């Protein structure tokens, strides 16, 4: 990847999004359903895009929301719909549009008191809390967020009654219905003015924050954190959790400082990511540069992305921990310090997460559940309790409550961040030090990911890679143990390819949200071996794509 000269530096004014123009584009642009890039399309985390590219605008949200209303009726989902949004500029207009349609369809909608922003995990928590013990009248939810994507992007995702991201069967149905609506000029869409939608009896205010914050003590040992007196720093990165961290610190008596409470849709306070764009990615050392520079002010600090479903951990010993490093620490710690969890509860990871987790699972005597990329694959296991933990290499994770029951079935950035403090308080070492100890016993992996542009057609080719296309028997000097197009945990299609040797692996897959492909690789034999893995993987992909 070519690193921008702006990477890690404060965002210059020239790259800031023009918010008035963006909002105007949201309402003015009319998508052409015959253009693939302008149709509704659900990737791994809902429909995403920019109004500047006619990929996310009012007509998309009208069509998607009406499709969700029809889906709810067909599935007899007649409880409340929990509606939340993050701090991206397009989230407020999309919230307005969605509520106009939901209210016109008679859907009981719960919106946040005081027009407050609502993190993704808080919506999942609300759905599950409401549905607990019910046999009918189930709730579901919509989260308006493009996650950590740049300021000009918008996102819209649906969470059915299980509380997690909708699976491809549901999103495929909604996508098809929404695009049909676009093609017929939105003739099927019901809508009432926003001011009226706010006043109808089916629209109700909900105290999301108190409900979520007051329950955190059932998933994290807040007493051990409070007793340790650890100096904690948090940067919400201008996201939806900005007004949650103060109440968390106050309720549980934590020595926690919020280093930035600014909410600004241009995100001008960010340092620029690797490619010269503003991106609220807590796993990027470039986007996290400000918090990294503060690491000596705190015993431990952390950040979350814009909808607070991803986490980034900064330690005094190691700086910003790569997600795979911290998730390995989390797995090792949780399954030794949650005595009420069922002995059969498994460890969930994606095919592109570190193989160090596999080795830890063997040592712990726990079953490993390896899935394709996408948190939706962990929903059922987390909901039923067959998974104690589910985590992605992109710093998204959730895990069970202390008693082994479900907490959230969507990614939660709050609880891994707070768990880092629990780990340090109990173990008297920060997660960076604990990771080094793990590598002494299991080996030290080196991990990297490369990205390259790809057209939709090329992405389709890559997603259909077959085992027959791997004609070589060795990879980077080692015998190939397995070639996978399906995940070992659930036999679902990877949407790409994974090749595994004794001391390394690579996986290639197209992005679900951007016109790029990604190659992930890991080696337990050092950087030179990793570079060979990446080079040979890129050769295979380039040959397949004809580039």
């Amino acid at each position: 990847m070519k690193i921008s000269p702006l990477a890690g530096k404060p965002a210059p004014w020239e790259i800031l999004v023009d918010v008035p123009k963006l909002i105007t584009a949201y309402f003015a642009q009319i998508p052409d359903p015959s253009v693939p890039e302008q149709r509704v399309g659900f990737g791994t985390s809902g429909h995403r895009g920019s109004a500047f590219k006619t990929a996310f605008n009012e007509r998309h949200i009208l069509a998607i929301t009406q499709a969700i209303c029809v889906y709810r009726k067909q599935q007899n989902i007649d409880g409340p719909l929990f509606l939340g949004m993050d701090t991206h500029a397009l989230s407020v207009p999309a919230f307005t549009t969605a509520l106009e349609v939901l209210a016109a369809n008679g859907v009981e909608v719960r919106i946040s008191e005081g027009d407050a922003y609502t993190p993704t995990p808080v919506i999942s928590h609300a759905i599950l809390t409401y549905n607990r013990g019910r046999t009918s009248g189930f709730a579901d939810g919509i989260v308006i967020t493009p996650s950590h994507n740049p300021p000009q992007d918008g996102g819209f995702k649906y969470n059915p009654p299980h509380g997690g991201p909708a699976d491809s069967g549901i999103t495929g149905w909604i996508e098809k219905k929404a695009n049909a609506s676009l093609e017929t000029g939105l003739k099927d869409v019901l809508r009432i003015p926003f001011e009226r939608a706010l006043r109808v009896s089916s629209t109700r205010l909900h105290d999301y924050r108190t409900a979520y914050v007051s329950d955190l003590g059932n998933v994290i040992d807040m007493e051990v954190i409070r007793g340790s007196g650890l100096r904690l720093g948090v940067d919400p990165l201008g996201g939806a959790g900005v007004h949650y961290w103060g109440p968390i610190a106050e309720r549980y008596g934590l020595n926690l400082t919020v280093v930035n409470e600014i909410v600004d849709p241009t995100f001008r306070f960010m340092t620029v990511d690797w490619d010269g764009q503003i991106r609220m990615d807590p796993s990027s050392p470039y986007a996290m540069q400000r918090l990294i520079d503060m690491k000596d002010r705190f015993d431990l600090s952390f950040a979350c992305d814009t909808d607070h479903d991803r986490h980034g951990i900064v330690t005094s010993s190691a700086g910003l921990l790569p997600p795979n490093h911290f998730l390995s620490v989390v797995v090792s710690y949780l399954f030794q310090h949650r005595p009420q969890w069922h002995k059969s509860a498994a460890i969930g990871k994606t095919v592109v997460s570190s193989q160090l987790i596999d080795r830890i699972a063997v040592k712990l005597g726990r079953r490993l559940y390896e899935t394709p990329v996408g948190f939706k694959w962990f929903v059922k296991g987390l909901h039923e309790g067959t998974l104690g933990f589910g985590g992605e290499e992109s710093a998204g994770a959730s895990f069970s409550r202390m008693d082994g029951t479900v907490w959230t079935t969507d990614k939660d950035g709050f609880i891994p961040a707070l768990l880092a403090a629990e780990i340090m308080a109990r173990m008297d070492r920060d997660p960076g030090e604990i990771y080094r100890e793990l590598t002494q016993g299991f080996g030290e992996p080196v991990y990297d990911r490369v990205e390259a542009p790809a057209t939709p057609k090329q992405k389709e080719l890559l997603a259909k890679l077959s085992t027959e296309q791997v004609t070589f028997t060795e990879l980077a000097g080692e015998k190939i143990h397995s070639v996978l197009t399906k995940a070992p945990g659930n036999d679902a299609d990877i949407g790409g390819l994974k090749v595994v040797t004794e001391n390394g692996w690579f996986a290639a897959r197209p992005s679900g949200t951007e016109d790029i492909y990604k190659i992930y690789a890991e080696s337990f034999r050092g950087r030179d071996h990793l570079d060979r893995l990446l080079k040979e993987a890129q050769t295979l992909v380039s040959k397949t794509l004809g580039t």
Side-chain angles (χ1 to χ4, degrees):
M1 296 184 292
K2 184 179 180 181
I3 305 301
S4 167
L6 296 176
K9 298 177 182 178
W13 68 268
E14 310 95 78
I15 71 168
L16 300 182
V17 65
D18 187 324
V19 174
K21 285 187 177 180
L22 182 67
I23 302 301
T24 300
Y26 172 84
F27 288 106
Q29 297 286 359
I30 299 177
D32 182 350
S34 67
V35 178
E37 293 79 12
Q38 296 182 24
R39 292 172 65 82
V40 171
F42 278 77
T44 52
S45 294
H47 173 74
R48 293 182 184 177
S50 174
F52 287 143
K53 297 180 179 180
T54 324
F56 186 97
N57 57 34
E58 183 182 38
R59 289 181 170 238
H60 289 118
I61 305 310
L62 289 169
I64 296 170
T65 309
Q66 184 63 45
I68 290 172
C69 291
V70 175
Y71 176 80
R72 296 180 94 246
K73 287 182 179 179
Q74 288 190 358
Q75 299 298 316
N76 296 315
I77 302 170
D78 53 7
L81 182 144
F82 292 95
L83 179 62
M85 64 177 177
D86 76 359
T87 55
H88 276 78
L90 290 174
S91 293
V92 171
F95 176 92
T96 302
T97 304
L99 186 60
E100 291 175 345
V101 176
L102 293 167
N105 281 271
V107 175
E108 181 185 332
V109 183
R110 302 285 177 88
I111 62 176
S112 184
E113 293 181 342
D115 296 326
Y117 303 107
T118 315
T120 287
V122 173
I123 294 293
S124 180
H125 178 269
I127 295 169
L128 293 170
T129 300
Y130 184 89
N131 289 340
R132 188 174 296 126
R134 291 182 178 272
T135 56
S136 62
F138 293 114
D140 55 0
I142 291 173
V143 190
I144 302 171
T145 174
S147 190
H148 62 293
N149 280 22
Q152 65 269 23
D153 284 7
F156 200 88
K157 68 177 185 177
Y158 175 63
N159 286 30
H162 58 49
D167 63 33
S168 56
I170 297 173
T171 58
W173 190 95
I174 293 171
E175 180 181 306
K176 183 177 179 180
K177 181 72 173 174
N179 282 318
S181 182
L182 289 176
E183 290 165 359
T184 56
L186 303 175
K187 292 179 181 179
D188 60 330
V189 174
L190 302 180
R191 182 183 192 184
I192 63 175
F194 182 64
E195 288 302 318
R196 185 178 159 201
L198 287 172
R199 294 195 304 267
V200 297
S201 60
S202 57
T203 299
R204 302 183 183 181
L205 298 179
H206 184 76
D207 187 358
Y208 285 103
R209 187 169 60 194
T210 297
Y212 181 85
V213 171
S214 63
D215 204 14
L216 279 169
N218 291 310
V219 67
I220 299 294
D221 189 342
M222 293 296 196
E223 291 185 10
V224 74
I225 302 175
R226 179 174 62 249
S228 71
L230 286 173
R231 295 170 300 135
L232 306 174
V234 59
D235 189 344
L237 300 182
V242 64
H243 297 135
Y244 277 68
W245 289 105
I248 289 171
E250 182 178 356
R251 180 178 181 87
Y252 295 103
L254 307 185
N255 182 10
L256 184 148
T257 301
V258 181
V259 302
N260 173 33
E261 293 185 302
I262 298 172
V263 174
D264 179 344
T266 67
F267 294 90
R268 66 182 66 229
F269 47 79
M270 289 295 299
T271 50
V272 179
D273 205 4
W274 66 273
D275 57 354
Q277 291 201 68
I278 296 174
R279 191 178 285 110
M280 290 60 69
D281 182 356
S283 64
S284 165
Y286 304 105
M288 287 280 282
Q289 191 59 55
R290 185 179 60 229
L291 195 59
I292 293 170
D293 289 343
M294 297 182 191
K295 73 181 181 68
D296 294 330
R297 280 182 52 188
F298 305 103
D299 298 311
L300 186 72
S301 49
F302 31 81
C304 293
D305 68 338
T306 325
D307 68 323
H308 270 53
D309 72 343
R310 300 186 188 207
H311 62 274
I313 310 299
V314 178
T315 67
S316 296
S317 67
L320 177 65
L321 289 179
N324 273 314
H325 292 197
F326 182 60
L327 293 183
S328 298
V329 173
V330 167
V331 167
S332 178
Y333 175 85
L334 280 176
F335 286 88
Q336 296 182 79
H337 293 89
R338 292 296 186 265
Q340 295 183 58
W341 285 11
H342 197 279
K343 298 300 182 185
S344 64
I347 298 166
K349 58 159 272 190
T350 64
V351 292
V352 295
S353 298
S354 178
Q355 211 166 48
L356 182 61
I357 296 173
D358 304 43
R359 300 182 181 192
I360 292 170
V362 172
K363 178 71 173 181
L364 293 170
R366 293 280 181 167
R367 180 172 64 90
L368 188 72
Y369 182 72
E370 188 173 358
T371 73
V373 172
F375 202 79
K376 63 185 178 183
W377 301 108
F378 303 131
V379 170
K380 188 173 186 289
L382 289 169
H383 194 257
E384 296 176 348
T386 55
L387 286 179
F389 166 89
E392 295 187 297
E393 78 299 331
S394 55
S398 189
F399 46 86
S400 297
R401 294 169 180 263
M402 296 279 197
D403 64 4
T405 60
V406 62
W407 170 252
T408 61
T409 47
D410 212 329
K411 294 174 287 191
D412 189 330
F414 290 100
I415 60 171
L418 291 167
L419 184 70
E422 178 190 325
I423 291 171
M424 188 170 181
R426 177 164 283 119
M427 306 300 289
D428 199 30
R429 301 184 301 287
D430 73 39
E433 294 170 308
I434 294 173
Y435 177 76
R436 284 201 298 271
E437 294 171 5
L438 289 173
T439 61
Q440 290 170 8
F442 295 104
E444 184 171 2
V446 186
Y447 182 95
D448 203 356
R449 186 183 83 185
V450 297
E451 300 175 353
T455 66
K457 180 64 176 178
Q458 289 173 327
K459 289 169 62 177
E460 185 179 344
L461 288 172
L462 183 55
K464 294 179 179 179
L465 276 173
S466 67
T467 55
E468 289 75 21
Q469 288 172 273
V470 179
T471 56
F472 45 88
T473 58
E474 288 192 351
L475 176 66
E478 291 192 324
K479 182 180 179 181
I480 292 174
H481 283 187
S482 57
V483 178
L484 306 172
T485 56
K486 294 182 180 292
N490 58 1
D491 203 38
D493 286 335
I494 293 172
L497 187 78
K498 182 176 182 179
V499 180
V500 185
T501 68
E502 182 178 357
N503 292 294
W505 59 268
F506 83 80
R509 57 178 292 273
S511 169
T513 57
E514 300 175 87
D515 285 334
I516 59 174
Y517 72 82
K518 303 177 182 181
I519 296 177
Y520 310 77
E522 183 178 55
S523 170
F524 281 81
R525 291 177 54 189
R527 183 73 218 189
D528 289 345
H529 185 243
L530 177 66
D531 289 341
R532 286 188 63 187
L533 285 169
L534 286 167
K535 183 177 180 180
E536 293 182 22
Q538 285 178 293
T539 299
L540 171 66
V541 173
S542 296
K543 180 180 178 182
T544 302
L545 300 183
T547 58

